[in-house]
Amino acid sequence: MFLSYAVVPVFVFTILLNFFCLYSPIGSQETPDLNFTTCEACLNSTCHTDTNGTCTLSQDNSTFVCVSCPSDGEVPQFPSEESCQQGCQDQTKECVCDGPCYSCVVSAGLDKSALVCDVPTLMVDTTCAVLPYGPPSASPGSDNVTTGS
């Protein structure tokens, strides 16, 4: 056999890692944020123009990050706690923050110790002026947010 003994544990670890990521209860981290070196690049990105992502200033103030919280997935995500509470009407679910988004998830059995809330503090407007972070304005048709089952 030509395989090293180190290959088997790495292979098993990779399979287990994929399994845990696939069945993540929230999945905010599954939607990658897009990093840009300039404000204009962020504002011109498909993340901002097509999915209504918000261009934010990174914590080190050196790059721009497009944050998008998709509300149409299996577990809907929201850019603010307020919008999550409005879209999460099921009494068996609650809004929790994981990454830059809030998600409406089943309360029972949820391990909140693994969640890391990282909501941006600064954003830019269409002229690249830096402002305090606020969720993006609603786009047409966004009233039809589902809370999943």
Side-chain angles (χ1 to χ4, degrees):
M1 183 158 193
F2 297 100
L3 294 176
S4 161
Y5 288 109
V7 171
V8 175
V10 170
F11 178 74
V12 170
F13 174 75
T14 303
I15 296 299
L16 288 174
L17 185 62
N18 283 328
F19 176 77
F20 288 120
C21 288
L22 180 64
Y23 293 103
S24 169
I26 297 176
S28 283
Q29 304 302 5
E30 292 176 22
T31 305
D33 298 331
L34 303 173
N35 296 304
F36 301 94
T37 55
T38 66
C39 174
E40 291 80 9
C42 185
L43 292 175
N44 291 325
S45 70
T46 57
C47 172
H48 178 73
T49 59
D50 293 350
T51 63
N52 204 26
T54 303
C55 289
T56 64
L57 193 59
S58 64
Q59 291 183 353
D60 63 3
N61 294 335
S62 65
T63 58
F64 297 88
V65 181
C66 185
V67 176
S68 178
C69 301
S71 62
D72 58 353
E74 185 177 322
V75 177
Q77 298 177 357
F78 303 88
S80 70
E81 188 172 18
E82 294 79 23
S83 62
C84 183
Q85 289 171 348
Q86 289 175 355
C88 187
Q89 299 298 319
D90 187 339
Q91 295 296 321
T92 64
K93 296 183 178 183
E94 67 178 300
C95 290
V96 294
C97 182
D98 185 31
C101 303
Y102 288 84
S103 299
C104 181
V105 296
V106 176
S107 304
L110 178 64
D111 179 15
K112 293 182 186 176
S113 65
L115 306 178
V116 178
C117 189
D118 189 22
V119 176
T121 56
L122 298 173
M123 62 182 270
V124 293
D125 66 8
T126 57
T127 65
C128 291
V130 178
L131 307 168
Y133 177 74
S137 58
S139 58
S142 64
D143 297 333
N144 301 333
V145 175
T146 59
T147 57
S149 330

